Amino acid sequence: LLSVSELSRMGREAPLFTGVSFGLDEGDKAALIGKNGSGKSTLLSCVAGSLQGDSGAVVVNKAAGVSYLPQNPAFEPSDTISDHVFKSDSPKLRVIKEYRAVCVALSLSATAVSGGADALTSRLEALSHEMDEKNLWNWETEIASVLQTLGIDDLSLPMGTLSGGMLKKVALAQVLVEDTRLILMDEPTNHLDVETIAWLEDYLAATDRSVLMVTHDRYFLDAVCNRIYELENRRLTMYEGNFSKYLEKKELERQIAANAEERIESVLRTEREWLLRGPKARGTKARARVDNIHRMINRERLAQDKEFAFEVTGRRLGGKILEVKGVSKAWPRAAADSATRALAADGPASDAKPVISDFSYSFRKGERIGVFGSNGSGKTTLLNLLTGRLDPDAGTVVRGENTVFAYYEQYPAFGNLELTVLEYVREAAEVIALPGGRSLTAGQLLESFGFEGRVQYSDVSTLSGGERKRLYLVRLLMGNPNFLVLDEPTNDFDIYTMGVLERFLEGFAGCLLVVSHDRFFMDRVADTLFVLDGSGSVEGFVGSCTELLEIRGEEKKAKKRGGEAPREGDGGRKGDGGESRKAGQGGETAADAGGKAERNRPKKRTFAETREYEGIEAEIEALENRKAELEALLSGGEADHIKLSEWGREFGEVALKIDERMERWEYLASFE
């Protein structure tokens, strides 16, 4: 599908990459990884055709087609969601777009008997025939499923009215529904909620389309990719397997290179002694030996990563840290899902939507809390309330005298971007105190964070998105906080910076409150969750993000089986002033209770389950037959839009019942 040959591109001071060559075949799932500023997004843009390389070639199979999701998708504010999602020039997609539009128009004029309605009916008949001829019914059903899963219900909304999270979902939908065989994605998980990311992970792993993406989400890399391309030192290196396999091979490479360095140094010690004795290099062998020594001395050394580390001296927390009592906040419904709101907004309107309702909590030393919820559920609103950037409609937030916040904003304002990197840091301090009585100048601190040489004198505006965010974090930590509030800190960070940040947070002695869509990051740094459901409720959950998702998955399966599953509240800590409450007896957590339930499951089916098992295959067969009948009806050229609508609705219901009965059959078949 794709062939890249000897591709090169210059950066701001030096080449980003040179002589890059690779290819993708049908069904390949590959990721580009590398440090911030290494050129990953630039390389992906060159492959997509939105940028041109300085040399080399990119060839895409013309019959395959390419769909490209950039980090910041462009859109026309006046376009509707439908316009954006179906903007492809694919003839097949144009048919589906018109078919859906005619169905909507007919539903709005169902009682009309005018010539206009007759014209719509005739057009629907022609489109249905075309859908049948081109075998587009399954594709149309898949498009509807993608839109529904992403929460895109009203396709008539203008793009300019959507929140940042919804804009990303619409752009993602547009890429997924296109009639192409190659998908290019730059940070597809940014600005999506955790559950949508989990769905996208499953979708991409199952699709037969090829994927090339830039992402730092390690769970995502592991689940989707079968090939990793690392862009490092201007070169591209390929590793077969997922991210875990890449880490194993990378460590093996490092060990082999280190052993080779030791052997060369050992040989050089002997050869240097020979040179110091001053032998006369008259013969060919002696001259060759001297040349070989010089080649070893001038060899390319093993690259040692200059690891930077986040450190603060650690300001003492007082007895009272942060007390929240009965806090509530509501937004006017028109702005309830907006990504950015004025923090000085007036009180709630009469039609306000509750975002946070009657929330109380008393923070304790060393707590590490993650905030979990879908887009628009109020996560950033909660952070703004707790840090005093937003006044509650009711209730109080009292900060302890010794509590010093550092608030990492999702969309930070950098001020004067014409400042150099060094000037930006010096605005905060010239000298920074470190643990153990040590200190660093602003320039030395920047070097320890990977900003070396001429980069210190570059304007902030020339930095990549990830480099700028890293610089912003450095400046925040220079304030020596004891309460860190992080709103999506993992957006734009590379995997290496993420690892350093995680190690810092593991040793951070103060309080931590973090919002992130990165499940690996959340699992590693947070041991308790505030779970927001979008209706104003804030529930506590003792456990990791992955454990919460597993419990929710079990709940969904149990509902399909008609049984019971662990409840989210089990193992949860309610926001009730800090009182902890765990599921089960003896203080067991929800995960413990769930594991015990699985271990104690009966080994044989009950009588009722045996009877159900005996008849379930016939039930599934009948549903499959009805599904086939409906497929035939939908593709039979019927002109009555009401019948088509009813058959389409029944088709979706039957398909769902088949999935449910198949899951139930698998469950019953698992017994001895």
Side-chain angles (χ1 to χ4, degrees):
L1 299 183
L2 171 70
S3 177
V4 178
S5 178
E6 297 297 321
L7 189 65
S8 301
R9 173 84 184 192
M10 280 292 296
R12 56 180 175 247
E13 295 177 353
L16 283 173
F17 47 83
T18 57
V20 165
S21 298
F22 69 99
L24 286 181
D25 293 329
E26 185 81 32
D28 281 343
K29 311 289 173 62
L32 280 171
I33 66 171
K35 294 184 178 179
N36 289 140
S38 62
K40 304 184 299 295
S41 292
T42 301
L43 176 55
L44 197 68
S45 296
C46 289
V47 173
S50 58
L51 283 179
Q52 294 298 316
D54 296 325
S55 62
V58 176
V59 180
V60 178
N61 185 322
K62 289 184 179 179
V66 178
S67 297
Y68 175 43
L69 177 70
Q71 275 197 55
N72 300 301
F75 62 91
E76 289 293 333
S78 59
D79 280 353
T80 65
I81 293 177
S82 179
D83 293 334
H84 190 85
V85 170
F86 294 100
K87 70 179 181 181
S88 168
D89 58 2
S90 162
K92 294 180 181 179
L93 207 56
R94 282 205 303 270
V95 172
I96 293 176
K97 177 185 179 181
E98 187 178 358
Y99 170 78
R100 293 174 65 89
V102 170
C103 285
V104 170
L106 274 171
S107 67
L108 295 175
S109 59
T111 59
V113 292
S114 65
D118 290 340
L120 285 173
T121 302
S122 298
R123 184 57 187 152
L124 182 64
E125 183 178 353
L127 288 168
S128 298
H129 181 67
E130 193 171 357
M131 293 270 287
D132 186 26
E133 281 188 334
K134 295 180 179 178
N135 195 24
L136 301 181
W137 292 108
N138 287 338
W139 190 10
E140 198 279 335
T141 302
E142 183 178 345
I143 289 173
S145 175
V146 168
L147 295 174
Q148 183 180 13
T149 303
L150 291 174
I152 303 171
D153 301 318
D154 187 353
L155 299 186
S156 66
L157 292 175
M159 294 289 290
T161 65
L162 304 181
S163 68
M166 185 54 71
L167 283 171
K168 190 61 177 280
K169 287 184 176 182
V170 172
L172 177 61
Q174 184 259 320
V175 166
L176 296 182
V177 306
E178 282 191 327
D179 182 21
T180 60
R181 303 302 303 160
L182 177 60
I183 303 175
L184 307 177
M185 313 177 90
D186 195 354
E187 298 291 2
T189 62
N190 281 2
H191 310 299
L192 298 181
D193 55 68
V194 172
E195 291 181 298
T196 303
I197 291 171
W199 169 82
L200 179 60
E201 181 181 288
D202 293 338
Y203 183 94
L204 292 179
T207 184
D208 60 357
R209 297 164 75 184
S210 296
V211 180
L212 177 62
M213 61 183 170
V214 173
T215 183
H216 59 254
D217 190 311
R218 287 149 288 183
Y219 283 160
F220 202 82
L221 286 168
D222 255 1
V224 176
C225 295
N226 56 22
R227 187 178 298 174
I228 303 292
Y229 289 106
E230 182 178 35
L231 191 55
E232 184 179 34
N233 298 325
R234 301 189 296 276
R235 292 196 299 258
L236 193 71
T237 306
M238 189 266 284
Y239 298 86
E240 289 287 354
N242 61 10
F243 186 68
S244 294
K245 291 292 183 184
Y246 155 80
L247 291 177
E248 293 173 8
K249 293 175 181 179
K250 193 72 175 174
E251 176 60 22
L252 182 60
E253 278 185 3
R254 191 197 64 78
Q255 292 175 2
I256 291 171
N259 291 339
E261 280 289 308
E262 288 181 9
R263 288 195 298 272
I264 292 172
E265 288 296 333
S266 177
V267 170
L268 274 175
R269 280 193 292 271
T270 303
E271 296 299 85
R272 287 189 189 105
E273 292 174 2
W274 180 78
L275 282 175
L276 290 172
R277 289 199 298 269
K280 295 179 180 179
R282 294 175 183 170
T284 303
K285 288 185 178 180
R287 285 197 301 272
R289 185 172 179 180
V290 172
D291 291 342
N292 189 45
I293 292 170
H294 285 295
R295 279 195 298 272
M296 284 190 289
I297 292 172
N298 297 323
R299 74 193 182 281
E300 184 177 347
R301 301 297 202 280
L302 171 65
Q304 296 287 343
D305 283 338
K306 190 168 185 178
E307 292 215 4
F308 55 92
F310 300 107
E311 289 185 290
V312 292
T313 54
R315 192 188 301 263
R316 185 182 67 85
L317 278 166
K320 178 190 286 186
I321 299 172
L322 186 67
E323 290 187 356
V324 186
K325 294 182 180 178
V327 164
S328 297
K329 186 67 183 178
W331 293 108
R333 292 190 181 274
D337 295 324
S338 177
T340 56
R341 305 178 180 89
L343 296 182
D346 295 330
S350 58
D351 64 339
K353 172 187 175 182
V355 180
I356 306 295
S357 298
D358 195 24
F359 174 62
S360 299
Y361 196 80
S362 179
F363 288 85
R364 294 189 284 264
K365 290 181 181 179
E367 284 196 305
R368 312 160 63 78
I369 301 173
V371 183
F372 181 97
S374 60
N375 288 340
S377 61
K379 301 187 294 295
T380 298
T381 298
L382 178 62
L383 299 190
N384 286 329
L385 288 167
L386 298 181
T387 55
R389 297 188 173 212
L390 187 64
D391 292 329
D393 298 333
T396 59
V397 179
V398 181
R399 182 198 300 189
E401 290 186 5
N402 295 328
T403 301
V404 177
F405 286 116
Y407 187 0
Y408 182 100
E409 297 179 64
Q410 186 174 353
Y411 304 102
F414 283 88
N416 185 5
L417 295 177
E418 301 307 312
L419 290 174
T420 67
V421 171
L422 186 59
E423 288 170 341
Y424 179 77
V425 173
R426 279 178 172 169
E427 277 193 338
E430 287 279 355
V431 179
I432 298 92
L434 296 177
R438 296 173 294 134
S439 64
L440 285 177
T441 65
Q444 290 171 329
L445 180 70
L446 284 169
E447 286 185 5
S448 70
F449 280 83
F451 295 101
E452 300 181 88
R454 294 175 61 188
V455 176
Q456 292 189 15
Y457 303 99
S458 300
D459 290 351
V460 174
S461 62
T462 65
L463 300 180
S464 70
E467 289 172 319
R468 204 177 294 183
K469 289 285 188 75
R470 192 198 320 160
L471 183 64
Y472 168 63
L473 182 59
V474 171
R475 181 161 158 166
L476 273 181
L477 294 177
M478 288 168 62
N480 193 24
N482 52 25
F483 198 128
L484 275 176
V485 180
L486 308 177
D487 191 0
E488 294 290 3
T490 57
N491 283 354
D492 302 316
F493 276 172
D494 58 48
I495 292 169
Y496 313 97
T497 304
M498 298 264 291
V500 175
L501 177 58
E502 287 160 2
R503 289 192 292 275
F504 163 74
L505 293 177
E506 285 176 345
F508 181 65
C511 287
L512 173 66
L513 188 64
V514 59
V515 171
S516 177
H517 63 262
D518 189 305
R519 291 158 294 166
F520 188 98
F521 179 79
M522 287 278 276
D523 284 353
R524 190 164 176 183
V525 305
D527 50 28
T528 303
L529 301 176
F530 286 158
V531 183
L532 281 65
D533 63 3
S535 68
S537 171
V538 182
E539 297 289 340
F541 178 85
V542 178
S544 69
C545 182
T546 295
E547 289 170 336
L548 176 60
L549 289 174
E550 287 174 352
I551 288 175
R552 286 189 167 185
E554 287 300 317
E555 287 178 341
K556 290 179 181 178
K557 290 179 181 178
K559 285 179 181 178
K560 291 180 180 179
R561 295 194 301 261
E564 295 182 358
R567 297 184 303 274
E568 277 184 29
D570 293 350
R573 177 185 298 160
K574 301 291 183 181
D576 55 3
E579 294 301 318
S580 177
R581 191 161 70 208
K582 296 183 178 180
Q585 296 180 351
E588 66 184 8
T589 66
D592 296 332
K596 181 184 290 184
E598 180 64 23
R599 291 192 297 273
N600 293 337
R601 190 183 72 170
K603 299 299 181 182
K604 293 183 179 298
R605 289 187 289 268
T606 64
F607 176 77
E609 286 174 333
T610 300
R611 294 292 299 274
E612 182 184 0
Y613 181 62
E614 291 171 351
I616 199 167
E617 289 186 1
E619 186 180 349
I620 292 172
E621 183 179 357
L623 288 168
E624 291 282 7
N625 291 337
R626 181 54 181 164
K627 182 181 177 183
E629 290 173 3
L630 290 167
E631 286 178 341
L633 290 170
L634 286 168
S635 60
E638 175 61 52
D640 189 333
H641 68 277
I642 296 177
K643 287 184 179 180
L644 286 170
S645 177
E646 290 174 352
W647 291 338
R649 183 169 58 254
E650 186 183 356
F651 182 86
E653 292 172 354
V654 169
L656 180 61
K657 284 180 182 178
I658 290 172
D659 289 341
E660 291 174 350
R661 300 316 291 160
M662 284 298 298
E663 284 192 19
R664 180 63 173 167
W665 177 84
E666 290 172 359
Y667 171 77
L668 293 172
S670 67
F671 288 92
E672 296 176 358

